[in-house]
Structure formats: C-alpha cells, structure tokens
Amino acid sequence: MGKALCLAVMTTKPQRSLPPSAPKTTALPPHPIAVRLLAFYDAHQRALPWRATDDRPANPYHVWLSEIMLQQTTVAAVKPYYEKFLLLFPTVGALAQADPQEVMRAWAGLGYYSRARNLHACAQQVVRAYQGQFPDHYEGLKALPGIGDYTAAAILSIAFGKRALVIDGNVERVVTRLYRVETELPRAKGEIRAHLDVITPEKRCGDFAQSMMDLGATLCTPRKPACSLCPLHQDCLSAHQADAETFPRKAPKKERPRRLGQAIVVLRDDGSLLMRTRPPKGLLGGMSEVPNSDWTPEPAAFVAQDLLPFKATWQRCPDPVRHVFTHFELHLEIYVAKIPARHKAPDGMRFVALEALAEEALPSVMQKVVNAGLVALGVRVQTPIKDTKTKSASIKKSAGQ
DNA sequence: GAGCCGTGGGC
DNA sequence: TGCCCAAGGCT
C-alpha cells in the first residue's frame, strides 16, 4: 500500500522543480493549432533584431539579453537599448567585466532597475560557473539572477530548441481566449499551463513560443482583437462567442495612491549640478538623483536649505513634476538655486558638470526634475539621454536670473 | 499570494 | 485626461 500511495502521489503532484517542460515520450504529430500558428509565423513573423535568421542561428546571449529587457517592457522601448547594449557589451564576457555603474547608466530610462543589477550579476555567474556559455537546462537557468519561470522557458526553447512551456502575458491572453478560461488570473495559471501543454509541439518549439507572442502582440491584442484575421479563429471558443476581448478574466485593480515630495536643483557657477546616488536596492536602486525629501502621503514640512551647509536663494518652480510609478503617483515640488563656484558638495553628494550629465544613471523621473529645474534657472540644455516630454523641456530661456 | 518594482504609448 | 497595458522576478 505504501508503494501504491507513493505512486499515486507522484503521478498526481505536478513537478515543482521542473514546471515549464515535460518532454513527451511519444512522438505525436503536432496539434492543428501549432500547425496553423507556425504557418502564420512563417508568413508574418516580425523582424526583430534579436531573432535568429537564415544566416544567423539563435545566440543564447542575444536571446537572454532581449528577454530580460522585454520583461514588462514594449518591443519599441527595448529596441534602441538592445542595440546599445550589443555595441557596449558584445559578449556575455564583456558584460561581466563591465563596471556596474556603466551597466546602470546604459539601462537608465528603461525602468525596473533591479533587472540591470541582476543582468550584470547573471553575466558574471555565467562566466564563472559556465565558462561564458549559458546552461541549456531549466535548473541552471532558473538559478541565475533575474531568470524566472518565463525567461528560463523562453531561453530553453528559443535559444536551445528544447520543448518548454513559455507562458507570458501574451500566451495567457491567447490561451484563455482559445479555451474561454473563466478562472481569474493569477489563479488560472494551472489551467493555462495544461492547455498550453496540449498544443505545444515537440519541434520548432522556439518558433511556436514566438508565434504565440507575435499573435498576442499583433492580432490577439488586449483591446479590439482582430479575430477575423486570426489564424486560430476556427479553434477559438471565445471568437465563436464574440467575447474574446473579455478574456483573460482578472480581479479589479486597486487604486494608485499619491505621494508628495520636494527636490532641489542646485547649479554651481562653474556649470555643475548637485547630485547623489540612491541606495543600492529598492526603488530606483543605485541610480543617480538630485537631493530630495521623503515621499509621503501628506504634505510634509520641508526646508530646502536644510540639505545644504551653505546659504542660497531659492526659487520654486511653478508646476510640480508629476511621475507615475507602478504602485503610486508622485508629485515633486522643485526648488532651484544658484551658488558660488567655491562651495564643495556636502557629504554623500557630488557636483556633476552639465556636460557630464549624460554619463549619469538618471532615471526618467530625475531627468524630468533636472529639466524643470534647469529651465527655471534659465539654462538651456539639450536633454542628454532623451527628451522626457516635459513641456518645459522645449521652452526657451526664461528671463535670466 | 500579494506587494514592490519604471516607463512610455495608445485609446 | 486617466487608465490600461507590455516577452516578469523577487520577497
């Protein structure tokens, strides 16, 4: 009985350590959905710089780099960063040897900065533990920093051609629509995995995964899906019911709280700006910023002068800088001042020449703050990293102070 | 499991 | 304008 019980447990319990792939033992023909999807892919796949071509086989470093960048990030946003990283760091070895700050600087503006920290740490582990060759098995990949279930499965299938269940937001949307999965996310993940396991082919699994994502990005979109053009129309239960757009089911979102704070833009007469570096972890970890207050739900007493060991005359920018993070919305009041060139930076801060601002790892919110402050100070600068669409960014020199 | 973690584009 | 979302991972 012990043996039978043990077998029963083993067969009913899903493999915890190996979720994404379950190599099938029998050689079944591909599911009709896979056949149609691969044909769609052959005819309509998007040309993306990290994808393999006829004369360029899949490169695990390229696949890994692109997958990390694409986490919660649009293809359009990733493209220029991907090209820049390949120029700066052509190989995983080059990336591993790079200065961490250089990596953060190159990532600035892309968001979710723990990805950049993990990217660098991962490159170093691949070099140290695997001689610069990415492992081609799930456990090895999953143990690397920044690689979770999705990314491990994506690398396995796209870079190494191994069968894996690649489940991202696109796949969740496509599958819940195909089968009209009524369970709400994230509880539906098990059902989605089971359905995907049925249709995932043994061959061309990397192409299959990418075809699912292409379908989700181009036709099976979150809003207004183009069901009439879909290669899976005949297979799709929600298309038949004409309610594809209502999938996947999700719990209503919580409201986004607002936080308030103040920041100072201090320009020294030699043309340099007072800056500091944020703590290594947490929000905007390891990134550069101008001095600023705590961000609190209620307005807090704030005296800009308290941040400086010398006197200055302050001017408050008319409009606060507004920036929306994932889980809160921030309003920053900006105070600006000019000070004589003889002053040194307070402890933990530094002065950075305006010309060297492009070499700082400035997150977008701080780019906005700097832009607004410089405009108020009457300094005209071409935004170094990118125009953050601050309306003030294009305003001409205000009446000089 | 739920909260934390950025940013920009589209409607 | 405000809200939704995008090839998620970590704690």
Side-chain angles (χ1 to χ4, degrees), chain A residues 8 153 219 236 285 291 342 355:
Chain A
L219 298 179
C236 185
R342 59 186 148 83
E355 298 76 33

PDB file of all heavy atoms in Angstrom, chain A residues 8 153 219 236 285 291 342 355:
ATOM      1  N   ALA A   8       0.754   7.071  -6.409  1.00  0.00           N
ATOM      2  CA  ALA A   8      -0.368   7.977  -6.647  1.00  0.00           C
ATOM      3  C   ALA A   8       0.044   9.413  -6.396  1.00  0.00           C
ATOM      4  O   ALA A   8      -0.277  10.319  -7.170  1.00  0.00           O
ATOM      5  CB  ALA A   8      -1.533   7.605  -5.729  1.00  0.00           C
ATOM      6  N   ALA A 153      12.164  29.304 -19.543  1.00  0.00           N
ATOM      7  CA  ALA A 153      11.487  28.552 -20.608  1.00  0.00           C
ATOM      8  C   ALA A 153      11.743  29.190 -21.972  1.00  0.00           C
ATOM      9  O   ALA A 153      11.942  28.497 -22.972  1.00  0.00           O
ATOM     10  CB  ALA A 153       9.986  28.485 -20.321  1.00  0.00           C
ATOM     11  N   LEU A 219      -2.474  40.509 -33.365  1.00  0.00           N
ATOM     12  CA  LEU A 219      -3.889  40.234 -33.655  1.00  0.00           C
ATOM     13  C   LEU A 219      -4.698  40.009 -32.385  1.00  0.00           C
ATOM     14  O   LEU A 219      -5.763  40.608 -32.199  1.00  0.00           O
ATOM     15  CB  LEU A 219      -4.013  39.007 -34.576  1.00  0.00           C
ATOM     16  CG  LEU A 219      -3.368  39.128 -35.960  1.00  0.00           C
ATOM     17  CD1 LEU A 219      -3.560  37.836 -36.746  1.00  0.00           C
ATOM     18  CD2 LEU A 219      -3.957  40.311 -36.727  1.00  0.00           C
ATOM     19  N   CYS A 236     -10.991  28.877 -31.842  1.00  0.00           N
ATOM     20  CA  CYS A 236     -11.100  29.760 -30.684  1.00  0.00           C
ATOM     21  C   CYS A 236     -12.536  29.838 -30.162  1.00  0.00           C
ATOM     22  O   CYS A 236     -13.429  30.377 -30.813  1.00  0.00           O
ATOM     23  CB  CYS A 236     -10.597  31.153 -31.058  1.00  0.00           C
ATOM     24  SG  CYS A 236     -10.555  32.294 -29.672  1.00  0.00           S
ATOM     25  N   GLY A 285      16.971  51.811  -7.221  1.00  0.00           N
ATOM     26  CA  GLY A 285      18.186  51.439  -6.509  1.00  0.00           C
ATOM     27  C   GLY A 285      19.445  51.634  -7.333  1.00  0.00           C
ATOM     28  O   GLY A 285      19.534  51.184  -8.463  1.00  0.00           O
ATOM     29  N   PRO A 291      19.207  65.914  -4.852  1.00  0.00           N
ATOM     30  CA  PRO A 291      18.732  65.766  -3.468  1.00  0.00           C
ATOM     31  C   PRO A 291      17.227  65.975  -3.390  1.00  0.00           C
ATOM     32  O   PRO A 291      16.674  66.843  -4.059  1.00  0.00           O
ATOM     33  CB  PRO A 291      19.492  66.875  -2.719  1.00  0.00           C
ATOM     34  CG  PRO A 291      20.708  67.129  -3.556  1.00  0.00           C
ATOM     35  CD  PRO A 291      20.288  66.901  -4.969  1.00  0.00           C
ATOM     36  N   ARG A 342      32.854  78.401  -5.319  1.00  0.00           N
ATOM     37  CA  ARG A 342      33.806  77.963  -4.284  1.00  0.00           C
ATOM     38  C   ARG A 342      33.244  76.858  -3.403  1.00  0.00           C
ATOM     39  O   ARG A 342      33.988  76.175  -2.712  1.00  0.00           O
ATOM     40  CB  ARG A 342      34.193  79.153  -3.415  1.00  0.00           C
ATOM     41  CG  ARG A 342      33.021  79.814  -2.726  1.00  0.00           C
ATOM     42  CD  ARG A 342      33.450  81.085  -1.980  1.00  0.00           C
ATOM     43  NE  ARG A 342      32.394  82.082  -1.975  1.00  0.00           N
ATOM     44  CZ  ARG A 342      31.378  82.092  -1.112  1.00  0.00           C
ATOM     45  NH1 ARG A 342      31.284  81.137  -0.207  1.00  0.00           N
ATOM     46  NH2 ARG A 342      30.453  83.020  -1.175  1.00  0.00           N
ATOM     47  N   GLU A 355      27.802  69.072 -18.752  1.00  0.00           N
ATOM     48  CA  GLU A 355      28.213  68.314 -19.939  1.00  0.00           C
ATOM     49  C   GLU A 355      28.360  66.833 -19.616  1.00  0.00           C
ATOM     50  O   GLU A 355      28.353  66.001 -20.511  1.00  0.00           O
ATOM     51  CB  GLU A 355      29.547  68.854 -20.493  1.00  0.00           C
ATOM     52  CG  GLU A 355      29.511  70.305 -20.953  1.00  0.00           C
ATOM     53  CD  GLU A 355      29.514  71.280 -19.776  1.00  0.00           C
ATOM     54  OE1 GLU A 355      30.141  70.957 -18.749  1.00  0.00           O
ATOM     55  OE2 GLU A 355      28.859  72.336 -19.866  1.00  0.00           O
TER      56      GLU A 355
END
